[in-house]
Amino acid sequence: MATSKTFFSIFFILSISVFSIFSSLTVAEDSHFFHKTVSPKLLGLQKEKLSHLHFYFHDIVSGPKPTAVIVAQAQITKTSPTGFGSVTMADDPLTSGPELDSKLVGKAQGIYASASQDEVGLLMVLNFAFTEGIYNGSTLSVLGRNTVFSAVREISIVGGSGLFKFARGYAEAKTHTFDPKTGNAVVEYNVYVFHY
Ligand SMILES: *[C@@H]1O[C@H](CO)[C@@H](O)[C@H](O)[C@H]1NC(C)=O
């Protein structure tokens, strides 16, 4: 009787030790956690709000200081009525008013490419990198379709950084002026985004 009691005590103590060794191993592994649920407060996220931004986008493709340059095109681009296949890299100024010398609020940096053979339809993949006021250093990421000869185009905003973390929304683009001789354009943007 005494022997079996001792045996069970030893067994019990051993099990506890083995269990604690295993759980300490598990805890050690957890310090390299892969995923966990966190409170939005941990990232300083308060209530979600809707913001409206308004600015003008200057696409300068000719002259001594172009802000958008063709970086690639296909054999058929030159004969395509829609310029299908051309890829342009832009670093276009964003200003508060339609004049280029009005207040600079940021740059539109990225790519637009002619992605339609039936009309002039651009694939826009770029970031609005803001440099003014509280949004200085924050960005909005654009991934959308821009049929430039439509009166109003709706282009998706798929994310952002800085004050625009978790942003989503859309931009309404309206051509303000287009010079067919130079190809330069000024486009009015109204952007609506949900963010924190
Ligand atoms: C925006 O932030 C940069 C970097 O912190 C700073 O150098 C610049 O002066 C700021 N611009 C404005 C308009 O506040």
Side-chain angles (χ1 to χ4, degrees), residues 113-132:
S114 178
S116 170
Q117 293 186 278
D118 301 324
E119 61 188 317
V120 182
L122 303 179
L123 163 69
M124 314 272 292
V125 186
L126 50 83
N127 294 304
F128 292 142
F130 297 103
T131 51
E132 180 54 37

Side-chain angles (χ1 to χ4, degrees):
M1 205 57 182
T3 327
S4 73
K5 246 189 198 163
T6 315
F7 175 77
F8 276 112
S9 311
I10 291 174
F11 179 76
F12 184 69
I13 290 165
L14 273 181
S15 319
I16 294 224
S17 328
V18 167
F19 177 77
S20 18
I21 288 170
F22 268 100
S23 42
S24 67
L25 280 181
T26 316
V27 167
E29 264 172 26
D30 272 357
S31 69
H32 302 284
F33 77 93
F34 170 47
H35 60 85
K36 64 183 175 185
T37 302
V38 295
S39 159
K41 294 211 166 54
L42 198 74
L43 297 181
L45 302 176
Q46 304 294 322
K47 213 165 125 44
E48 199 175 38
K49 54 183 173 279
L50 180 64
S51 288
H52 175 188
L53 293 99
H54 177 247
F55 50 82
Y56 292 83
F57 173 110
H58 299 262
D59 195 47
I60 306 164
V61 297
S62 58
K65 278 187 75 181
T67 61
V69 292
I70 293 179
V71 293
Q73 59 181 23
Q75 282 286 331
I76 66 155
T77 300
K78 281 202 170 73
T79 53
S80 161
T82 63
F84 180 64
S86 86
V87 178
T88 301
M89 183 67 74
D91 183 22
D92 285 348
L94 305 174
T95 59
S96 62
E99 307 80 19
L100 184 55
D101 62 1
S102 63
K103 185 195 282 234
L104 185 73
V105 298
K107 294 282 189 75
Q109 298 177 331
I111 292 167
Y112 61 80
S114 178
S116 170
Q117 293 186 278
D118 301 324
E119 61 188 317
V120 182
L122 303 179
L123 163 69
M124 314 272 292
V125 186
L126 50 83
N127 294 304
F128 292 142
F130 297 103
T131 51
E132 180 54 37
I134 58 164
Y135 292 123
N136 185 9
S138 296
T139 68
L140 283 175
S141 295
V142 176
L143 175 61
R145 179 167 182 260
N146 185 359
T147 52
V148 296
F149 291 115
S150 306
V152 182
R153 291 85 74 183
E154 242 178 53
I155 307 169
S156 353
I157 306 288
V158 296
S161 70
L163 290 178
F164 290 125
K165 283 185 191 79
F166 295 103
R168 67 199 191 288
Y170 69 98
E172 271 180 15
K174 250 184 269 181
T175 302
H176 180 263
T177 52
F178 173 66
D179 182 342
K181 265 193 278 184
T182 59
N184 294 345
V186 179
V187 183
E188 181 181 10
Y189 271 79
N190 278 286
V191 176
Y192 299 92
V193 280
F194 278 113
H195 65 105
Y196 289 91

